Amino acid sequence: MQTKKIPMRMCSGCGEMKPKRELIRVVRSPQGEISLDTVGKKPGRGAYVCNNLDCLKKARKARRLERSLSCQIPDEVYNRMEEELEKGE
């Protein structure tokens, strides 16, 4: 029996490779809106962050999400993402 390959993605905050299911996807939609994608199905360019606030703060400080999504991310979007992560924990 063949074992199924687990898709791995890199966290934009800590830089660790983790299974895709453990990470939260940040998406830039074709219209340019930035949002958190908890199910991983939204259309658009994605970047991944661990499910904790520290990684999101590291990614924000180093502007890694902006680099991987190749666009500016306003502060209110980061604040909303931080609130959603706090609720989820």
Side-chain angles (χ1 to χ4, degrees), residues 6-9 18-25 40 48:
I6 300 169
M8 302 290 276
R9 297 289 182 267
K18 295 188 177 180
K20 187 177 167 184
R21 292 221 174 268
E22 290 178 18
L23 299 169
I24 292 179
R25 187 168 177 244
Y48 294 84

Side-chain angles (χ1 to χ4, degrees), residues 4-82:
K4 194 172 180 191
K5 189 171 163 274
I6 300 169
M8 302 290 276
R9 297 289 182 267
M10 186 188 292
C11 170
S12 294
C14 61
E16 285 181 35
M17 293 296 282
K18 295 188 177 180
K20 187 177 167 184
R21 292 221 174 268
E22 290 178 18
L23 299 169
I24 292 179
R25 187 168 177 244
V26 181
V27 183
R28 186 192 75 213
S29 71
Q31 293 78 33
E33 294 171 16
I34 311 278
S35 62
L36 282 184
D37 180 12
T38 50
V39 287
K41 301 278 187 206
K42 286 185 182 176
R45 177 125 178 98
Y48 294 84
V49 174
C50 291
N51 195 2
N52 72 33
L53 216 46
D54 292 340
C55 280
L56 183 62
K57 286 180 179 169
K58 280 182 199 169
R60 180 181 187 173
K61 188 176 179 190
R63 298 195 174 280
R64 288 193 188 119
L65 289 175
E66 295 181 352
R67 231 176 283 140
S68 49
L69 297 175
S70 60
C71 70
Q72 285 295 110
I73 301 175
D75 283 341
E76 54 267 17
V77 173
Y78 274 119
N79 296 338
R80 195 175 67 231
M81 291 189 319
E82 285 177 11

